[in-house]
Amino acid sequence: MFNKFLRENKISAAILTVIRLYLGYSWFTAGLGKLTGGGFDASGFLKGAIAKPVTGPDGNMVYGWYVNFLESFALPNIDVFNFIVPWGETLIGLGLLLGCLTTAAMFFGLVMNFSFFLAGTVSHNPTDIFLGFIILTAGYNAGRYGLDRWVVPFIRKTAGKDKTKAIA
């Protein structure tokens, strides 16, 4: 019942628009600040996450697999991450602000939120994850008052044409 309200109701769409704009502004300003701030470098953050990983009550590392990922893949490829993080944040924010490909933008926003969270950065990530799941669950309705109103039907129509051409 709640899911139907979230995914189909116009009042819900208005509430989702406010949440979407809040998250979009947060993502966009974070990314734009990194892009225009004179050279973003994630290596210090990654080294800190590796040196002081998330530990449980017993003092043991909780996400050893993630620390291994940071150590063996992210840090050696820091140039890629220095590009992906600021541009990813900016584009996620832009997608949410404009309501364009909202579901995809929120999915990638959640991936980034979880990445920061697994690295030990709590900050506003739990709130962003909670609100992000609401947006993701709402699907198309979260972008109803945005560009998704035109973009999603266009994509569905275009994808539908491709299927009929492939069959014929």
Side-chain angles (χ1 to χ4, degrees):
M1 184 169 130
F2 180 71
N3 202 30
K4 182 177 171 100
F5 170 76
L6 201 59
R7 295 179 66 84
E8 298 174 11
N9 189 289
K10 289 183 180 182
I11 295 170
S12 166
I15 295 166
L16 291 164
T17 299
V18 173
I19 295 170
R20 191 190 82 222
L21 290 172
Y22 164 75
L23 288 173
Y25 180 78
S26 296
W27 279 109
F28 185 75
T29 55
L32 195 61
K34 289 176 179 72
L35 287 174
T36 60
F40 171 73
D41 186 12
S43 60
F45 176 79
L46 295 180
K47 288 175 185 173
I50 293 166
K52 193 170 191 276
V54 176
T55 57
D58 58 357
N60 291 327
M61 190 180 337
V62 178
Y63 306 115
W65 60 271
Y66 190 71
V67 173
N68 187 44
F69 164 77
L70 294 178
E71 204 168 25
S72 61
F73 184 77
L75 204 52
N77 297 297
I78 194 64
D79 291 336
V80 173
F81 284 85
N82 286 340
F83 179 82
I84 288 174
V85 170
W87 278 105
E89 288 179 348
T90 304
L91 293 173
I92 289 165
L94 197 58
L96 293 174
L97 284 171
L98 297 175
C100 185
L101 303 174
T102 303
T103 306
M106 196 67 261
F107 171 78
F108 288 110
L110 286 170
V111 168
M112 288 186 79
N113 275 132
F114 274 109
S115 296
F116 300 143
F117 206 51
L118 291 170
T121 304
V122 176
S123 183
H124 52 85
N125 285 309
T127 307
D128 289 357
I129 289 170
F130 175 72
L131 295 174
F133 272 116
I134 292 172
I135 296 291
L136 195 63
T137 302
Y140 168 77
N141 207 31
R144 177 187 300 261
Y145 299 126
L147 293 179
D148 278 349
R149 170 173 250 159
W150 298 281
V151 172
V152 170
F154 175 78
I155 291 172
R156 287 180 180 160
K157 182 180 169 185
T158 304
K161 284 183 181 178
D162 289 343
K163 287 180 185 176
T164 56
K165 287 180 185 176
I167 295 172

